[in-house]
Amino acid sequence: MAMMQEFKEFAMKGNVVDLAVGVIIGGAFGKIVDSLVQDVIMPPIGRIFGGLDFANYYLPLNGQATSMTLVEAKKAGAVLAYGNFLTILLNFIILAFIIFQMVRLMNKARRSAPAAPAPEPVTPEDIVLLREIRDSLQKGAQKNNDLAQ
């Protein structure tokens, strides 16, 4: 039973819950970026490069015809699907850039927000007393030095 209690405490810690929320939002955000790349960015790029779907670019490794779609070429044998790789790479670059911009804006907002001045810490009474004793000892030592001269 003690292990279940430990697990419950671990699972309910703020960091674990925050991580779970981050993973879920990250997954959804990844789908948004995938859609942005495949549905908005890649069609114009494909049009510029001859009107073909970028994901169907491949190099045949088993003598397949290059006029086949990627799915058909894979059925006929091994292919080097560099178009799909380029699409995924572009997804990553866009996602990394967007996350970089978000972190940059958050850091800028943190720096621009005026920090409330920290209240001066209250010195414990025993420290104040020790300082007074030190100061009075120093004054006494100084008086003794003045008298000796």
Side-chain angles (χ1 to χ4, degrees):
M1 200 58 156
M3 186 166 65
M4 288 301 290
Q5 182 64 26
E6 257 183 87
F7 177 74
K8 182 179 175 185
E9 288 173 14
F10 168 76
M12 292 299 132
K13 282 186 180 177
N15 294 344
V16 174
V17 175
D18 292 344
L19 179 63
V21 169
V23 167
I24 291 168
I25 290 175
F29 190 69
K31 289 180 182 180
I32 291 170
V33 172
D34 281 343
S35 176
L36 174 71
V37 171
Q38 291 176 1
D39 301 333
V40 177
I41 294 173
M42 292 311 287
I45 291 175
R47 177 119 175 141
I48 290 169
F49 288 106
L52 298 173
D53 181 13
F54 216 58
N56 279 323
Y57 282 15
Y58 66 90
L59 294 174
L61 300 177
N62 280 351
Q64 302 94 320
T66 56
S67 61
M68 301 166 79
T69 65
L70 179 62
V71 174
E72 293 169 347
K74 280 186 176 181
K75 287 181 184 175
V79 295
L80 182 65
Y82 68 90
N84 193 33
F85 173 75
L86 290 176
T87 302
I88 292 171
L89 182 64
L90 187 60
N91 271 356
F92 172 77
I93 291 170
I94 291 171
L95 181 62
F97 181 73
I98 290 171
I99 290 173
F100 167 72
Q101 292 298 329
M102 287 173 45
V103 170
R104 188 171 157 235
L105 288 172
M106 288 176 59
N107 287 339
K108 190 182 237 184
R110 280 189 197 144
R111 277 184 257 144
S112 66
E120 288 199 26
V122 178
T123 308
E125 204 170 313
D126 56 342
I127 300 294
V128 171
L129 183 60
L130 287 170
R131 286 180 182 163
E132 289 174 3
I133 293 170
R134 178 197 64 199
D135 294 343
S136 68
L137 287 173
Q138 286 176 345
K139 287 179 186 177
Q142 192 174 30
K143 283 182 185 179
N144 287 341
N145 284 341
D146 290 341
L147 292 175
Q149 293 176 354

